[in-house]
Every structure is written in C-alpha cells, then in structure tokens.
C-alpha cells in the first residue's frame, strides 16, 4: 500500500509499506479518504529542523521530552506523516461490537485503549496501555509507535470499538476533516471554559497554531462569548476569523507585546504563537480567575511564565496535549446539529494523489480527499 512519507524539508513522497492486517479480535482496518494537515506538521515540512533539533536536545537547548515523541533526531526522514483523518471501516475483528464495514469514522490522533487509569480519567493521549514513551500516536515516527501516518491507503486501529467515532448521518466529512486533532483541540480550549463562564470574553493569539486558533475563534462565537478578539499578522487567517464572527486585530509579525492587544481583559485566552512572549501577553490580559490554554510547541527548557502576576490575579495556565477521543462525540454532534462551518478554515482542498506536492504548500489548512469505497 501507499503511505505519504516526509523525506526532508519540502520533500515528501509516496512510499510502499506492507498492508496492515488484523492482529487482535478488537482491531479494525480502515481506509482514510479525507486527511487534514495538522498545524504542527508544517514545522518539519517547511524548515530544515532535524539536525538542529538533534543538536538542541544534546546540548540542553531543547527540552529532551521532544526526543521521546519524535526520536533523537526529530522528523528524520523517511517518516510517515499525517494524523488527522476521516476513514471508512473495511474490516473488523471478531470481537468488535460497535462498528460495521462501511461505517464512516473519525480516527483520533493518539492511540488509546479506553480502559487504563489514564483513559478512564479522560487522558487518552497518555494511555498507559499503548505508549512506551511520551505518546502513542499516528504520524510522529517510531518513537511514538509503529502506527504509521494517516495519509495512507490502510490503517490498523487497535481497541477499535473505543477508538473510532462514527460520523452522524448527513455530516459532510470535509466539514470535520480536522476532528482528529485541531478542531477537537480548539473545542477543549474554548467550550469547557465558556461553560463555566457564560458570556465570557475570549482572546485568541493566532500564528503557529494556525487552524486551531481559527477553529477556537469560531467556536467561541458560536458558544455565546460576549467578545472574541482574534490577533494575528497574516491576512489570510484574519479574513477567516472575521468570517467566523470574531473581531480581528492585525499586528506586525514578530514577538507579541501587551500593547498589541485590544484594551480589554478576558475570561479565556488561547495562545497560538508558540512563544514565551505570547504566554506572557495572554496571561497578563486575563480577568481575575481567567484561564489561558497554550496550544503551540514550546521547545526551549525554562520557558518564562509570569508566575507572580498569575498568583495575584488567580489565573490558570492549562497546558497539555489534546485528548481528542473524550470530546469527539460532543464535537461531531455540535457541528452536525448547528451547521458550524468548520470548513471555512480550509484554505486548500487537494486530490489525494497529489499529497506529496500539496503537503508542501504554505497555506493555513490543507485537506486531502478521495472518494470512499462505498461511494464508487
């Protein structure tokens, strides 16, 4: 079968890999037919980072946990890439009870069992059954397991009754192309916090977490936030945020400063610049008791956080990988029930066969697609 591999910066190829087979009665085989490029995947695609990150890890300039996720030489090619997909079930194990061949499902980015102590607490990205290092996940390379990438002809899904979540009938897969990770990540940043603070105000710093910030802006508007301010330097993203109902504020590219922000304070902040300056600005913009969720990569040890200000303001910094599987049913139900236009975030729709070239494009949100078998 074919599988998209990152060979090096700006170089991707289809590579052949043995077809996966059912190894356990609880497995399923699925065929991805919609795949979205995660915001984080653009780092190794558009920049020569492998050698530099290896040196950074060795010298202590980059936090060593990166090696436990991406390997001692992070993103060294060839490595299967992609971890956001909608797929069609094509084969199920003998003990599968909740899935049938032909079902259209979301495949969460992190592999989880659903029954270990971490999973039962909702920490499915930290499943102790499936992970040997920091994560067990698709598309991050061997350090996170041999699951492969989601831009492939077939995937084996363990614990499939738990892992896979069916799309509601009539929900367009292209609308929720990013439900495996980025859309669900935005949900966890916004929806629980606004539920505790009805009508709260929301600040979103866009940038490195390109689509997450935009999904978050739209979800905040849709969930009744009194104000949603989206701050970014790129016009493409600002235009999308405005279409989703946010008030947009264009700034110059570079380190964000407090004076760049609108003159108000916020109940909820989403930090998407992947910078200490962004964390500092977000935290200082919160109302008393506010909550900030950073969603970028913070590679350097000793990232600065304004602890004294947080103490004085009773602020919460909530940071961690996204646990997609627990929120997926609510995400899909909300999008289906309300018609939330998540597809507005998609800036490039490309044919599946064109994945090697399309994945190199410098665009906010790439989505690949092909026909499911059932539609032929």
């Amino acid at each position: 079968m074919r599988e998209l591999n990152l060979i090096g910066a700006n170089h991707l190829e289809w590579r052949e890999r043995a077809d996966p087979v059912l190894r356990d009665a609880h497995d399923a085989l699925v065929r991805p037919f919609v795949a979205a490029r995660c915001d984080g995947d653009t780092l190794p695609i558009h920049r020569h980072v492998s050698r530099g990150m290896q040196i950074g890890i060795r010298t202590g300039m980059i936090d060593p946990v990166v090696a436990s996720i991406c390997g001692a030489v992070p993103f060294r090619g060839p490595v299967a890439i992609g971890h956001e997909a909608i797929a069609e079930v094509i084969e199920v194990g003998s003990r599968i009870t909740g899935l049938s061949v032909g079902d259209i499902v979301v495949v969460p980015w992190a592999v989880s069992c659903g029954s270990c102590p971490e999973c039962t607490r909702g920490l499915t990205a930290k499943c102790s059954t499936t992970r040997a290092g920091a994560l067990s996940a698709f598309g991050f390379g061997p350090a996170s397991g041999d699951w492969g990438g989601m831009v492939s002809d077939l995937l084996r899904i363990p614990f499939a009754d738990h892992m896979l979540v069916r799309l509601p009938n009539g929900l367009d897969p292209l609308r929720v192309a990013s439900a495996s990770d980025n859309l669900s990540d935005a949900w966890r940043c916004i929806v629980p916090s606004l539920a505790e603070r009805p009508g709260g105000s929301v600040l979103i710093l866009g940038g490195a977490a390109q689509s997450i910030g935009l999904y978050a802006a739209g979800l905040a508007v849709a969930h009744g936030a009194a104000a949603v301010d989206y701050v970014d330097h790129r016009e493409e993203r600002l235009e999308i945020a405005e279409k989703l109902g946010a008030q947009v504020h264009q700034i110059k590219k570079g380190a964000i400063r407090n004076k760049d922000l609108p003159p108000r304070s916020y109940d909820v902040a989403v930090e998407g610049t992947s910078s200490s300056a962004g964390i500092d600005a977000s935290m200082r913009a919160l109302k008393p008791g506010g909550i900030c969720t950073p969603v970028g990569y913070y590679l350097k040890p000793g990232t600065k956080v304004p602890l004294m200000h947080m103490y004085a303001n009773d602020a919460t910094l909530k940071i961690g990988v996204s646990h997609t599987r627990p929120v997926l049913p609510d995400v899909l139900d909300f999008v289906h029930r309300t018609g939330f236009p998540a597809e507005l975030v998609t800036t490039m729709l490309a044919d599946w066969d064109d994945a090697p070239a399309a994945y190199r494009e410098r665009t906010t949100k790439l989505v690949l697609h092909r026909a499911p078998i059932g539609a032929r």
Side-chain angles (χ1 to χ4, degrees):
M1 71 166 199
R2 293 183 311 172
E3 179 182 66
L4 184 66
N5 272 239
L6 174 68
I7 310 302
N10 296 301
H11 182 191
L12 297 103
E13 294 178 1
W14 289 115
R15 291 287 179 98
E16 290 294 320
R17 176 176 174 169
D19 288 2
V21 297
L22 300 177
R23 299 183 187 175
D24 185 273
H26 296 282
D27 286 354
L29 297 182
V30 303
R31 176 183 179 269
F33 66 94
V34 170
R37 187 182 66 187
C38 174
D39 297 341
D41 284 347
T42 61
L43 176 67
I45 291 172
H46 294 147
R47 299 181 185 180
H48 296 275
V49 297
S50 292
R51 179 62 175 163
M53 291 180 74
Q54 177 192 28
I55 295 171
I57 291 168
R58 286 181 175 177
T59 59
M61 298 296 291
I62 291 178
D63 197 297
V65 74
V66 174
S68 70
I69 298 172
C70 302
V73 186
F75 308 111
R76 178 169 58 184
V79 59
I81 198 167
H83 58 265
E84 295 188 342
I86 310 296
E88 184 177 12
V89 177
I90 65 166
E91 189 176 352
V92 296
S94 60
R95 299 191 68 180
I96 294 294
T97 60
L99 297 166
S100 301
V101 171
D103 283 348
I104 305 301
V105 295
V106 178
V107 186
W109 70 274
V111 182
S112 59
C113 71
S115 58
C116 70
E118 289 78 8
C119 284
T120 55
R121 291 171 53 204
L123 304 176
T124 51
K126 302 301 294 182
C127 173
S128 56
T129 300
T130 61
R131 67 180 176 89
L135 299 174
S136 178
F138 295 95
F140 283 88
S144 290
D146 62 352
W147 308 105
M150 288 192 189
V151 188
S152 64
D153 288 333
L154 289 173
L155 295 172
R156 179 180 72 90
I157 311 299
F159 309 103
D161 270 331
H162 154 71
M163 277 276 291
L164 301 175
V165 181
R166 283 195 300 269
L167 260 64
N169 291 334
L171 178 56
D172 185 352
L174 293 175
R175 174 163 279 184
V176 290
S178 196
S180 298
D181 187 5
N182 290 171
L183 177 57
S184 297
D185 198 355
W187 178 278
R188 61 105 180 200
C189 293
I190 294 295
V191 179
S193 297
L194 280 183
E196 297 174 356
R197 303 161 179 81
S201 53
V202 177
L203 170 68
I204 296 164
L205 303 186
Q210 301 187 81
S211 70
I212 299 173
L214 294 171
Y215 291 132
L219 288 170
V221 172
H223 282 82
V228 180
D229 287 322
Y230 179 86
V231 179
D232 203 336
H233 68 273
R234 186 180 292 179
E235 289 187 6
E236 180 182 65
R237 294 193 295 259
L238 289 160
E239 290 174 2
I240 296 170
E242 194 166 35
K243 289 179 182 178
L244 289 166
Q247 295 293 315
V248 299
H249 307 269
Q250 188 167 17
I251 60 173
K252 293 181 180 180
K253 186 176 181 180
I256 195 162
R257 301 161 297 178
N258 289 89
K259 67 179 184 179
D260 294 325
L261 305 184
R264 75 166 99 230
S265 54
Y266 300 90
D267 298 283
V268 178
V270 179
E271 200 300 294
T273 70
S274 290
S275 68
S276 294
I279 291 179
D280 185 86
S282 298
M283 296 304 303
R284 295 182 187 278
L286 291 177
K287 291 180 180 178
I291 182 170
C292 172
T293 306
V295 292
Y297 292 165
Y298 303 88
L299 301 179
K300 295 181 180 179
T303 300
K304 293 181 179 179
V305 177
L307 292 178
M308 188 63 207
H309 180 84
M310 292 172 61
Y311 171 81
N313 204 35
D314 198 19
T316 297
L317 178 67
K318 185 174 177 58
I319 186 168
V321 293
S322 63
H323 303 287
T324 294
R325 177 57 185 86
V327 304
L328 263 176
D330 288 339
V331 172
L332 297 176
D333 175 71
F334 173 79
V335 175
H336 184 233
R337 177 170 42 84
T338 66
F340 177 72
E343 73 279 5
L344 289 178
V345 178
T346 300
T347 52
M348 181 177 179
L349 188 62
D351 186 87
W352 191 272
D353 290 338
D354 296 333
Y359 244 66
R360 297 196 303 267
E361 291 294 324
R362 292 180 179 272
T363 191
T364 293
K365 193 65 178 183
L366 165 70
V367 173
L368 305 169
H369 70 113
R370 58 181 171 178
I373 294 172
R376 293 178 178 176

